[in-house]
Amino acid sequence: MTSRAASKAGAMHPDAMARDAVPQHAMPHGAILVVEDEAVLARNIQRYLQREGFEVRIAPTGQDGLQQFEEFGPDVVLLDLGLPDIGGLEVLARIRARDAMAKAIILTAHGSTQVAVDAMKAGACDYLSKPLALGELKLAVERAVGQERLEGALSYYRGRDARGSGLDQMLGEAPATLALKRGIARLLDAERHLSPGDLPPPVLIRGETGSGKDLVARALHFDGHRRAGPFIEVNCAAIPADRLEGELFGHERGASADARERRLGLVEAAHGGTLFLDEIGDLDLALQVKLLRLIEDRAVRRLGSTRDRRVDVRFVAATHRPLEAMVAAEQFRADLYYRLRVVTLDVPPLRERGDDVLLLARHFLALHGRRYGRPGLRLAAGAQALIRHHAWPGNVRELSNAIEQAVLSTEDQLVEADNLALAPAATRQPVASAGELLADGELTLTKAERLVISRAMEQAGGNVSRAARALGVSRDTLRYRLGKLGHPEAG
């Protein structure tokens, strides 16, 4: 054995082989490629990192390392500078040319400042001198894996920041609003008692468009124990189905004609935090299968990859669609529906929140007044009456837009009813009587259903929840039937 080989063979601290073996995790923390020509050292590193939960492969030469980098797609490369065929810095340059996001940690027995500077200039994310300390090696690898995930999160959008989030931002004192807040608070309190490593259950938020489902999702994150992690929000209806899979799961370089470099998906970007899937009812059936597997296995596989990566993600989904009815119609997978609705939170529509509408109107008036340099604006009595009696089919979003328009149109400090320019409420269809339905001598199932539902809605004053209770069906089912019948309260 040469002096160089002897030095490298002994380049692991004596406690490397003395530690008790730890079973390898079912799902690796990350994939590590060790490019090291000394077999003993490489095997020691491999065994240690495998015990720590990583998947590790060894390449004894620079050329082999480049080939395995292409095939294996590691998260981090541990790269020796003194390779027998190609210099370590040259290997690093070729790796970075193939994948600009690649993370490499340089290992060398020549611990000079200039070597470290050259390695960092070449794109290395860290530098370790031999002999290696196990704790230092583990920390460096974990930092590199975490840095990749952080960069992935920043390369997408991480949602809005914590300002304007949390239970204290959910304004209102109506019974329905207070009930929702209590439900969120109970859930967060229960989650504080989870053991380390236990993941909180998925949450399904239901409510009409514009009712504030996103505020509930943000409260679950920013008031919970994951507040320090990323909050990733994706609207499943806003991204074409052929792109959404790549956005969620990411891809390896070469997975498609457009995949010129490796890209982390939103799922991996949300590691340690919350993934908020808004408008989950619009998710393509094929993607529903993959989402179900992700939630159950807590693992993600990038497009073009053969390896699963473990993720620590809290799933929150929201929809305005009647998922229960969609399941019955085979438009939404039953197994995914029941997996998502471990905890269900219903956001009440604005028309069911009583005087909350005025409280919110004043809040938006102050907010938009500050934005446009119009502080001190007030609502006239006529404007308040109109706001109180409007149906608000667009809910809180419609109210905010109406107040913003009023701020821009009013010429003095008093906002009048004319400044609100509200859209006229939808006209309800007349309720047919049994005699009218039987006028042609035939009573069909559709006619009978329309009669029963119309009567229930009329008696409930247009309130879908009350009508559903009277009919003995769920609110989602009634909304689905209303939509099929073309009823204006279908939402």
Side-chain angles (χ1 to χ4, degrees):
M1 182 182 294
T2 66
S3 59
R4 179 177 179 272
S7 171
K8 295 181 71 172
M12 184 70 73
H13 274 244
D15 62 351
M17 305 305 296
R19 297 195 173 197
D20 294 333
V22 178
Q24 186 171 347
H25 293 251
M27 189 67 60
H29 291 305
I32 312 299
L33 175 62
V34 181
V35 185
E36 169 61 62
D37 64 319
E38 175 48 51
V40 174
L41 174 59
R43 284 196 301 269
N44 286 348
I45 293 174
Q46 181 183 44
R47 280 194 288 264
Y48 172 69
L49 291 179
Q50 284 177 340
R51 289 199 300 266
E52 295 297 329
F54 294 93
E55 182 180 358
V56 185
R57 290 191 186 179
I58 296 173
T61 66
Q63 193 61 46
D64 188 31
L66 292 171
Q67 181 177 344
Q68 290 210 43
F69 180 82
E70 287 288 329
E71 298 171 355
F72 184 41
D75 298 301
V76 179
V77 178
L78 297 179
L79 178 60
D80 179 36
L81 285 182
L83 297 170
D85 56 342
I86 307 174
L89 293 180
E90 175 63 22
V91 174
L92 175 59
R94 295 188 191 181
I95 287 176
R96 296 278 296 176
R98 298 180 185 186
D99 184 356
M101 292 182 64
K103 297 292 175 286
I105 299 172
I106 296 298
L107 311 176
T108 182
H110 309 286
S112 70
T113 302
Q114 188 56 47
V115 170
V117 170
D118 293 342
M120 293 302 184
K121 284 183 177 179
C125 66
D126 212 337
Y127 169 90
L128 296 176
S129 297
K130 301 174 183 177
L132 301 176
L134 293 178
E136 185 179 1
L137 174 66
K138 178 187 175 185
L139 286 175
V141 169
E142 288 178 341
R143 277 197 304 269
V145 172
Q147 184 180 354
E148 184 189 34
R149 284 171 174 157
L150 176 61
E151 290 175 356
L154 294 176
S155 66
Y156 295 103
Y157 53 88
R158 295 188 60 170
R160 293 160 290 179
D161 59 21
R163 294 189 302 273
S165 303
L167 277 172
D168 59 343
Q169 298 298 316
M170 296 177 61
L171 304 179
E173 299 297 329
T177 307
L178 295 177
L180 175 60
K181 290 181 180 180
R182 286 194 297 269
I184 297 172
R186 282 195 301 270
L187 176 59
L188 293 177
D189 182 64
E191 291 177 0
R192 292 186 184 97
H193 295 87
L194 289 174
S195 301
D198 284 349
L199 292 175
V203 177
L204 178 62
I205 305 170
R206 301 184 298 193
E208 296 178 6
T209 298
S211 58
K213 298 184 293 293
D214 59 326
L215 286 179
V216 176
R218 295 174 65 78
L220 289 171
H221 177 79
F222 290 106
D223 280 351
H225 67 283
R226 289 177 168 255
R227 65 179 67 89
F231 178 80
I232 304 293
E233 180 177 354
V234 55
N235 189 314
C236 299
I239 303 175
D242 58 347
R243 284 185 47 206
L244 185 56
E245 183 178 6
E247 292 292 319
L248 285 173
F249 298 99
H251 58 72
E252 297 291 348
R253 188 169 67 90
S256 66
D258 295 329
R260 296 182 176 85
E261 61 181 25
R262 180 172 57 182
R263 184 181 185 188
L264 271 67
L266 295 172
V267 176
E268 285 186 86
H271 184 80
T274 299
L275 180 64
F276 175 39
L277 298 168
D278 199 7
E279 302 299 350
I280 190 71
D282 291 272
L283 193 64
D284 182 76
L285 281 169
L287 270 182
Q288 291 179 27
V289 178
K290 294 194 172 186
L291 178 60
L292 176 65
R293 179 177 178 270
L294 167 64
I295 295 174
E296 291 183 338
D297 297 345
R298 303 289 177 175
V300 62
R301 179 178 296 183
R302 298 173 192 158
L303 300 183
S305 175
T306 59
R307 183 174 64 254
D308 292 332
R309 289 172 169 82
R310 184 171 53 186
V311 288
D312 172 20
V313 175
R314 200 266 173 80
F315 294 93
V316 177
T319 185
H320 74 283
R321 293 186 177 275
L323 292 188
E324 189 175 287
M326 291 176 67
V327 168
E330 298 185 350
Q331 297 172 343
F332 197 87
R333 291 185 62 92
D335 44 10
L336 177 59
Y337 171 63
Y338 292 114
R339 194 70 185 87
L340 287 172
R341 59 161 295 175
V342 176
V343 176
T344 302
L345 296 172
D346 290 307
V347 183
L350 189 54
R351 61 183 173 275
E352 295 181 7
R353 294 177 58 178
D355 286 341
D356 280 1
V357 66
L358 287 178
L359 186 152
L360 289 167
R362 295 187 183 101
H363 166 74
F364 290 130
L365 188 63
L367 176 68
H368 294 308
R370 287 194 300 270
R371 288 181 59 211
Y372 293 108
R374 301 289 306 278
L377 293 175
R378 305 186 314 279
L379 293 170
Q384 294 186 45
L386 182 58
I387 289 170
R388 187 192 294 270
H389 293 101
H390 186 66
W392 298 112
N395 291 290
V396 179
R397 185 179 300 134
E398 181 188 1
L399 174 61
S400 176
N401 293 341
I403 296 297
E404 182 174 9
Q405 182 181 22
V407 169
L408 294 172
S409 64
T410 186
E411 296 181 355
D412 52 29
Q413 294 297 99
L414 202 61
V415 175
E416 301 287 351
D418 292 343
N419 298 125
L420 292 170
L422 299 179
T427 303
R428 293 180 182 172
Q429 294 178 349
V431 179
S433 66
E436 291 171 330
L437 289 174
L438 289 169
D440 60 358
E442 181 182 1
L443 177 63
T444 66
L445 179 61
T446 301
K447 288 182 179 179
E449 183 181 33
R450 183 184 296 278
L451 171 64
V452 172
I453 290 178
S454 296
R455 286 274 174 84
M457 289 294 293
E458 182 183 30
Q459 293 171 4
N463 187 299
V464 178
S465 297
R466 286 200 294 269
R469 285 194 292 270
L471 292 170
V473 298
S474 72
R475 179 179 170 182
D476 281 352
T477 298
L478 180 56
R479 282 203 174 281
Y480 175 74
R481 300 313 307 170
L482 288 169
K484 294 284 285 185
L485 296 172
H487 197 284
E489 294 292 345

